[in-house]
């Protein structure tokens, strides 16, 4: 299980009106089972494209991606995706939004499906809001529902596309802490796109730093050797944490500084 | 807003008088002003006092508009033309609406029957248009090829007056009633197709991505994502269709005859009962207004924002 997710020599070229646009070039990446990997880089570096490739929403123009020894051909519920803008269906309650996914994946009896849904929502602390509609709850709560929906289907892999990008700093920290707990508890394999250095260091086992696009590549992979469980406050002053943080900052703001991004 | 200065004035002198015993008159005046602001604020934002006048003003404006309209009508009527004044029309209306459902043969029925037969034609014609138009709209919205295929035809036929289709209807059905329904069908069809197709195209990619990552079946995608997402647009289509249909039915019935509010208008014109024509105009307007309001309520029920 050393190479649970294998991204092999992947390239992605988009055909646009102004000719072809090379988004990603020769990407090689392995993710172990149970590992948390972050993709970090400036906007436009193709990190979301890479995530969408793993999600199967787009197909690579070169190379291939394997998850648990099987080639990824199109999207499927073996990968749970959390989108940046929560993507809840506004006409369904929180419960029904999660139930939609649960019902698709498991073929249990109805009361067991419901039980699974309740459990997933309880995990993100939303039992009280189950019967609310998305427009009745806060942005942070919506994102929790999104996470519950992704986790409820017990995917092989969790794909997070800037999951907390649209939230305010306090809510974001809150949700990061909760995700940290959930990941520790479930041992999920996670690939997360982020542009938040602290988020990457706090949550990840490895941070994949991407060079600026077009034709973005992996500029370096940083191992985050901080012991788990991690504690935001305890880490804040720790020397190793600051070192790691500085390394990522150095990559982003010195080596890959983007002019007038 | 008019309540603000009044309450401020009543509060300020009392507080100012109490404060004059203090050492600094300027500070007291300042405090009094601050108090006035404080005192004025709850009044300005207080629900009961702020809202009632606004609501009353709106009602007053509406009534004023109606009164002005009736006055203008009275003035026009008194110029000695053939147009009956409001009083005459009112009297005739009381007679007509005291027995709206009488029936003395096919050409002499109460106004209630006339309105109902017109509504029935609109309902059938519109219903058929919805049955055809909504699925067509879905397909046109979903498949670009079909959309490109349909675009020039719809663009060309949409501006055609629905009445131009009436002779074709008469030719096809060889009877007045189905021809009128057919005209309603044609004029309701375009808004249904166009709005449904626009709705399908406007579905956020996020929702479709949810469907894709979960690998939902086509049927599930339709029932849980496409249909609810398009529903508000469809209701807009229904509203536009019914609005046009209600406009067109009057004209169509004038041409086809039978029982119906449009025919009734024409019949009363032949009888030279102008007050009845005016009653018919109001009746058509009020029924149209009620239809519109009912559909606005329906649209509110199914909007998710």
């Amino acid at each position: 299980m050393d190479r649970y997710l294998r991204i092999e020599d992947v390239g992605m070229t988009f055909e646009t009106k102004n000719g072809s646009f090379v988004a990603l070039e020769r990407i090689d990446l392995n993710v172990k089972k149970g590992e948390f990997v972050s993709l970090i880089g400036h906007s436009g570096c193709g990190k979301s494209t890479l995530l969408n490739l793993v999600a199967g929403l787009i197909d690579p123009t070169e190379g291939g991606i394997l998850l648990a020894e099987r080639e990824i051909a199109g999207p499927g519920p073996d990968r749970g995706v959390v989108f940046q803008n929560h993507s809840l269906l506004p006409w369904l309650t929180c419960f029904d939004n999660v139930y939609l996914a649960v019902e698709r994946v498991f073929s249990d009896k109805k009361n067991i499906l419901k039980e699974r849904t309740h459990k997933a929502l309880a995990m993100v602390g939303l039992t009280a809001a189950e019967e609310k509609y998305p427009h009745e709850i806060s942005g942070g709560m919506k994102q929790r529902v999104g996470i519950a929906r992704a986790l409820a289907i017990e995917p092989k892999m969790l794909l997070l596309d800037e999951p907390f990008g649209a939230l305010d700093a306090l809510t974001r920290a809150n949700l990061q802490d909760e995700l940290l707990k959930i990941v520790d508890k479930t041992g999920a394999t996670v690939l997360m796109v982020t542009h938040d250095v602290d988020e990457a260091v706090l949550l990840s086992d490895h941070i994949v730093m991407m060079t600026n696009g077009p034709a973005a590549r992996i500029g370096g992979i940083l191992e985050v050797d901080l012991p788990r469980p991690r504690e935001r406050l305890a880490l804040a002053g720790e020397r190793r944490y600051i070192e790691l943080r500085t390394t990522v900052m150095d990559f982003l703001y010195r080596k890959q500084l983007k002019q007038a991004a | 807003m008019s309540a603000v200065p009044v309450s401020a004035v009543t509060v300020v002198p009392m507080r100012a008088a109490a404060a004059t015993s203090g050492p600094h008159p300027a500070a007291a005046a300042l405090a009094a002003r601050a108090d006035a602001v404080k005192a004025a604020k709850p009044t300005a934002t207080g629900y009961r006092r702020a809202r009632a006048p606004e609501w009353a003003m709106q009602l007053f404006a509406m009534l004023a508009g109606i009164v002005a309209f009736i006055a203008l009508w009275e003035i026009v009527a008194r110029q000695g033309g053939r147009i009956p004044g409001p009083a005459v029309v009112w009297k005739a209306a009381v007679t007509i609406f005291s027995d709206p459902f009488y029936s003395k043969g096919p050409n002499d029925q109460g106004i209630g029957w006339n309105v109902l037969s017109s509504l029935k034609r609109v309902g059938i014609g519109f219903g058929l248009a919805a049955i055809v138009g909504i699925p067509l709209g879905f397909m046109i919205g979903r498949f670009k090829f079909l959309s490109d295929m349909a675009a020039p035809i719809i663009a060309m036929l949409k501006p055609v007056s629905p009445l131009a289709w009436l002779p074709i209807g008469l030719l096809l059905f060889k009877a007045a009633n189905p021809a009128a329904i057919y005209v309603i069908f044609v004029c309701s069809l375009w808004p249904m197709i166009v709005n449904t197709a626009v709705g399908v195209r406007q579905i956020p990619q996020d929702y479709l991505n949810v469907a894709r990552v979960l690998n939902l079946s086509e049927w599930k995608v339709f029932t849980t994502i496409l249909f609810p997402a398009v529903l508000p647009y469809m209701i807009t289509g229904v509203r536009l269709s019914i609005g046009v249909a209600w406009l067109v039915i009057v004209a169509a019935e004038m041409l086809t005859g039978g029982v119906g509010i449009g025919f009734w208008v024409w019949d009363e014109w032949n009888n030279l009962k102008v007050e009845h024509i005016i009653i018919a105009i109001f009746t058509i307007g009020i029924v149209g207004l009620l239809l519109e309001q009912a559909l606005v309520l329906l649209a509110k029920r199914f909007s998710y924002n």
Side-chain angles (χ1 to χ4, degrees), chain B:
Chain B
M1 289 308 283
S2 64
V4 178
V6 173
S7 71
V9 167
T10 52
V11 172
V12 172
M14 283 166 62
R15 294 287 171 104
T20 39
S21 57
H24 294 294
L30 213 69
R33 260 171 85 183
D35 274 348
V37 170
K38 261 188 224 156
K41 232 179 177 177
T43 329
T45 53
Y47 284 74
R48 296 186 100 170
R49 293 187 68 175
R51 203 177 253 180
E54 204 176 296
W55 170 81
M57 273 310 280
Q58 199 181 357
L59 187 72
F60 177 72
M62 285 162 93
L63 288 173
I66 293 169
V67 168
F69 176 78
I70 292 172
L72 197 69
W73 173 12
E74 180 67 42
I75 291 166
V76 171
R78 285 195 186 178
Q79 300 309 305
R82 286 278 204 66
I83 294 176
V88 179
V89 172
W90 178 256
K91 237 177 99 187
V94 170
T95 323
I96 283 181
F97 282 100
S98 62
D99 187 14
F101 291 107
Y102 74 86
S103 180
K104 293 178 197 157
N107 283 334
D108 189 12
Q109 302 203 2
I111 191 162
W113 288 126
N114 281 299
V115 169
L116 283 182
S117 4
S118 296
L119 280 175
K120 194 174 141 199
R121 288 193 188 100
V122 166
I124 296 173
F126 162 78
L128 291 172
I131 290 170
V132 176
I134 290 174
L136 258 177
F138 262 101
M139 289 198 291
I140 287 171
R142 200 96 167 92
F143 305 107
K144 189 168 178 334
F145 185 81
L146 284 180
S147 166
D148 292 342
M149 244 174 90
I153 299 170
I154 292 176
M156 185 186 71
L157 293 182
K158 215 169 59 163
V160 175
S161 164
L163 291 173
W165 292 89
L166 187 62
I168 309 280
L170 288 168
L171 185 76
L172 283 175
F173 299 106
K174 297 186 173 60
N177 194 42
I181 290 171
Y182 160 85
V183 168
I184 296 303
F185 168 80
V186 171
C187 76
S188 304
L189 191 62
W190 313 124
M192 287 308 307
I193 294 179
V194 171
N195 278 283
T196 308
V198 166
V200 172
R201 274 188 225 120
Q202 300 279 319
I203 295 176
Q205 189 58 41
D206 294 341
Y207 299 166
L208 298 174
N209 277 346
V210 171
R212 290 183 65 202
V213 297
L214 290 174
N215 244 340
L216 296 178
S217 65
E218 271 297 318
W219 176 246
K220 197 81 189 163
V221 172
F222 180 78
T223 54
T224 55
I225 296 177
L226 289 186
F227 189 77
V230 175
L231 197 57
Y233 291 88
M234 267 163 44
I235 293 172
T236 304
V238 169
R239 225 178 74 211
L240 294 175
S241 292
I242 297 233
V244 174
W246 191 240
L247 283 180
V248 166
I249 192 67
V250 175
E253 284 172 349
M254 280 184 178
L255 294 169
T256 59
V259 181
I261 192 73
F263 172 69
W264 193 70
V265 169
W266 201 245
D267 207 30
E268 297 307 293
W269 166 239
N270 287 334
N271 297 337
L272 269 179
K273 283 194 176 152
V274 185
E275 63 270 29
H276 285 186
I277 295 175
I278 294 173
I279 291 166
I281 289 172
F282 280 117
T283 309
I284 294 165
I286 289 165
V287 171
L289 186 75
L290 291 176
L291 286 174
E292 169 86 9
Q293 287 304 311
L295 289 163
V296 167
L297 279 180
L298 193 71
K300 268 200 193 134
R301 164 69 185 77
F302 289 105
S303 95
Y304 300 97
N305 295 314

Side-chain angles (χ1 to χ4, degrees), chain A residues 122-141:
Chain A
M123 184 148 52
V124 295
L126 278 185
T127 300
E130 277 184 352
E131 291 311 315
K132 290 226 161 87
Y133 285 89
H135 65 88
E136 297 173 319
I137 60 178
S138 68
M141 287 163 91

